[in-house]
Structure formats: structure tokens, C-alpha cells
Amino acid sequence: MAGKISMGARREVVSVVTERYRSAKRGEKGRILDELCATTGWHRKHAVRALRRREAVGPGGVEATRKRGRRYGATIKDALTALWEASDRVCGKRLKVMIPTLLPALEQHGRLQLGQSDRDRVLVISAATIDRLLVDVKIAASGGRRRRAGFYSAIRREVPIRTFNDWNSPVPGFCEVDMVAHGGTSVAGSFIQTLTMVDVATGWTECLPLLTREGSLVVEAINRAQNLFPWLLRGVDFDNDSAFMNDVVVPWCRE
């Protein structure tokens, strides 16, 4: 019966049982709870809470729908936007790890001022919540275009994620790679891009021009950079830019 009873029927049962439960002695209350659990399929603690809520509403009252309070308001969203921009627009998982370092730096330079409670919320916020709060910000930053679901999803799943604290004093040869667009305030049309490669251990930097954002040209530029570095490239770390995260660059890096 418990598996077939509807929510409406459960509310009716609770309404009928509440008066008996209120006036019953301790032993009788236990039997009433057992009957209610057997009828509704509820756990005993849930049944107790349902009866207490009904008592608080009173006979003939209508139980108000409880709304979940919003924990992260506009102040938190604005702070996350500033942190996201300062991190060069990394994903939520990476930004989460960077926040304890970025937040004091922005505060020190007057770029961000938060009250203690808001600051504590920013420091404990999850990566999933960061991505959820910044959805419309990212869409606006990309010119109002929403990324298609599943875009390069198989390739992205193949690439391991290295967070801000995962470097652990690497030897020379591991580079952070990023693309710098020289299109001013607009990214429309074709214009020069600069592929910037920074060796994490030494800070040695090479900048290589690209005519377009295209995977084969990225591979060609990294090959040119190998001839400029005084050591062998051991690995390249890039963000989720489609110029890197594609079926040309990722397989080449793996090989």
C-alpha cells in the first residue's frame, strides 16, 4: 500500500492522525507512528516531522510552501566575476583552487572589498556553484553565444586537469600556453593571434604569431618554440580554448 499511496492521500492521513497523536500518551504515540510509517512508507523521523509541521499549522490551516533561501547573492556573483576575469577566465574547478591566492591580491590592490561573511562564502564556494553563477557572465563575454552541449566533450574528457596547486616544483620543460587575441574590443573577423608559452620552472617565455586560431597552426607554433627553448618540451598546459582542445592539438600532445 505504501508504494501506491499518493502525496494527496498521505497529507489526508497526516491530517487525520495529527489530533490522535497530539492527545496520545508516549506509548500510544509510538504505535501511531508505526501505523503512519506502514501506511505512507515514510521513515520514522520523517513521519515525526510531518506531524509536527501539521501541529504548527493547526486544524484547517494550509501549510505554506517552504522556499529555499538564496545563499549567494549579487555581491558574491560580482566578486566571482572579478576573480574569474583576474584568473584569465578559467573554469570553475581551477578557479576554486586559485581563489585563496587571488582574493587577497585583489583586496590588497583595491579591486575587491568584501564583508567578512561574504568573504567566507567566496572562500568555501564549490566549483559547481561557481560555474552555475557565472553562466550568464560567460555567455555575455562570448558575445551572447551559448556553447553547444557536448562540444568536443569526448576530447575534453581525455585531457587531465591540473589545478593551481598541482605543479610541485616542476623541472624545466613544462609550459603554460595561452592565446592572446589582437582584435581590440571585438573578436569578429580575422586578426593576428599570439601563442604565448611560459616555462613554469624558469619563466622563459616565447611568443609566436598565428594568422588564425587553427589547431594545425598551434602545433606548428609549438614545434617552432621547441627550437627556441634550450631544453626539450615535457608537457604543455592550456585552458579549454577550442584552439587547443581539439582533435589536432590533443592527439599531437599525447604522441
Side-chain angles (χ1 to χ4, degrees):
M1 180 177 177
K4 298 180 180 179
I5 189 171
S6 66
M7 290 299 298
R10 287 174 181 171
R11 284 193 292 269
E12 291 178 6
V13 171
V14 172
S15 179
V16 171
V17 169
T18 299
E19 185 59 35
R20 285 179 53 209
Y21 183 80
R22 183 187 296 115
S23 58
K25 295 183 179 180
R26 185 169 183 175
E28 180 64 19
K29 283 185 175 181
R31 286 190 290 274
I32 293 173
L33 282 175
D34 290 338
E35 294 173 3
L36 182 59
C37 291
T39 302
T40 60
W42 285 341
H43 187 275
R44 193 178 182 88
K45 288 185 177 180
H46 182 77
V48 171
R49 286 194 293 267
L51 288 168
R52 286 176 179 172
R53 283 200 303 269
R54 187 68 190 181
E55 286 180 356
V57 172
V62 178
E63 184 176 351
T65 302
R66 292 185 298 169
K67 294 184 178 180
R68 184 179 179 180
R70 178 175 293 182
R71 186 180 181 187
Y72 302 108
T75 302
I76 304 298
K77 182 175 180 179
D78 290 343
L80 288 175
T81 302
L83 290 163
W84 179 64
E85 292 286 0
S87 70
D88 198 19
R89 301 181 176 183
V90 298
C91 65
K93 189 170 184 179
R94 292 186 175 183
L95 181 56
K96 163 69 178 173
V97 183
M98 297 170 69
I99 285 176
T101 301
L102 285 176
L103 182 56
L106 292 184
E107 290 173 332
Q108 180 182 351
H109 293 282
R111 296 285 303 278
L112 194 58
Q113 296 296 329
L114 293 172
Q116 188 59 49
S117 60
D118 288 334
R119 193 178 193 276
D120 292 341
R121 288 189 181 97
V122 169
L123 287 171
V124 300
I125 195 169
S126 69
T129 303
I130 292 172
D131 287 330
R132 176 173 57 80
L133 291 176
L134 294 180
V135 166
D136 58 337
V137 176
K138 293 179 180 181
I139 293 173
S142 63
R145 299 184 302 275
R146 183 184 291 271
R147 177 172 290 166
R148 290 175 295 162
F151 181 69
Y152 288 138
S153 58
I155 294 174
R156 293 175 189 275
R157 284 195 297 268
E158 294 178 8
V159 179
I161 294 178
R162 191 199 303 269
T163 61
F164 187 63
N165 291 332
D166 290 340
W167 282 108
N168 195 24
S169 301
V171 297
F174 289 96
C175 288
E176 280 282 358
V177 185
D178 201 1
M179 195 79 76
V180 179
H182 302 290
T185 58
S186 173
V187 293
S190 181
F191 46 85
I192 294 293
Q193 312 269 335
T194 296
L195 184 74
T196 305
M197 299 184 63
V198 181
D199 184 77
V200 175
T202 65
W204 187 300
T205 303
E206 294 292 345
C207 298
L208 304 108
L210 299 178
L211 291 177
T212 59
R213 296 163 50 82
E214 203 273 321
S216 60
L217 295 180
V218 170
V219 170
E220 182 181 333
I222 295 176
N223 276 322
R224 292 205 310 272
Q226 174 62 91
N227 296 326
L228 300 173
F229 283 112
W231 43 71
L232 290 176
L233 287 176
R234 300 172 181 269
V236 291
D237 286 71
F238 41 74
D239 57 21
N240 57 2
D241 191 323
S242 59
F244 306 119
M245 201 76 72
N246 55 62
D247 56 1
V248 176
V249 177
V250 172
W252 178 83
C253 291
R254 190 183 298 113
E255 292 173 3

